[in-house]
Amino acid sequence: RKEVEQDPGPFNVPEGATVAFNCTYSNSASQSFFWYRQDCRKEPKLLMSVYSSGNEDGRFTAQLNRASQYISLLIRDSKLSDSATYLCVVNRNQFYFGTGTSLTVIP
Amino acid sequence: EAGVVQSPRYKIIEKKQPVAFWCNPISGHNTLYWYRQNLGQGPELLIRYENEEAVDDSQLPKDRFSAERLKGVDSTLKIQPAELGDSAVYLCASSLVPTSTDTQYFGPGTRLTVL
């Protein structure tokens, strides 16, 4: 079973829409959690860490549910510049990356 | 501050040829990672260094892959001989300290095509 599972999408949403991505992880001993963003043919970059209490950064909100081993990312008021692949990342002695969820925001 | 530097950015070789990738991490970052990313997949760890010591190389295909970080700074990843299935993007990343909460910073990657 994969360490991290994500819906690969693609998600095609209009500008201004709210979109949510989900991710599950298989090992309850996982220690820390992140969302990375990867633009086409570019390297991954940290978007935000994910905490059990939930955390928000502008239009982005991340949530962690340890009991369900589930991580989410909510993007409000989508912009064209949000178009990218969003990678769910879990750390358990090493970083495990999901396959990524592709988002395209349409004008 | 300079980011993680990798070279070359692109490499095209024929199968059975050797190839090497170079990485210079962010200054002061003791932890260095090499990842491989196949199309449509997330990065997969090949090897992790703490200073000059390889602390996790369990996923490095040791029959053809080797890596070194002799002075605890720059690192080189080598494939010899390359196979068609090695075509991928090879990403180097670094972090300041080896903790699970530390942010990794990635280089731009080397895109390898094996013909």
Side-chain angles (χ1 to χ4, degrees), chain B residues 10-47:
Chain B
Y10 304 91
K11 190 73 177 179
I12 301 174
I13 61 172
E14 294 189 345
K15 63 180 180 182
K16 301 185 182 179
Q17 294 300 306
V19 65
F21 314 126
W22 176 79
C23 173
N24 182 248
I26 292 173
S27 178
H29 280 197
N30 298 321
T31 307
L32 184 147
Y33 312 80
W34 281 103
Y35 288 90
R36 176 170 59 190
Q37 186 172 24
N38 291 305
L39 190 64
Q41 302 295 315
E44 294 180 329
L45 181 70
L46 292 173
I47 190 168

Side-chain angles (χ1 to χ4, degrees), chain B residues 56-107:
Chain B
D56 185 355
D57 64 355
S58 57
Q59 297 177 79
L60 188 72
K62 297 182 183 63
D63 56 337
R64 297 183 300 107
F65 285 65
S66 64
E68 60 183 15
R69 193 185 185 198
L70 292 176
K71 297 182 179 179
V73 181
D74 295 5
S75 178
T76 302
L77 178 68
K78 298 179 181 177
I79 308 174
Q80 183 171 10
E83 296 179 352
L84 295 176
D86 296 332
S87 295
V89 176
Y90 291 83
L91 292 161
C92 179
S94 70
S95 61
L96 185 59
V97 291
T99 67
S100 62
T101 57
D102 195 32
T103 301
Q104 292 181 90
Y105 297 88
F106 283 86

Side-chain angles (χ1 to χ4, degrees), chain A residues 32 38 43 91 94-95 98, chain B residues 37 42 59 100 103-104 107 111:
Chain A
S32 52
Q38 187 170 27
E43 71 273 22
N91 186 292
Q94 67 165 274
F95 290 91
Chain B
Q37 186 172 24
Q59 297 177 79
S100 62
T103 301
Q104 292 181 90
R111 188 173 297 272

Side-chain angles (χ1 to χ4, degrees), chain A residues 35 61 97 104:
Chain A
W35 283 101
T61 301
F97 287 75
T104 300

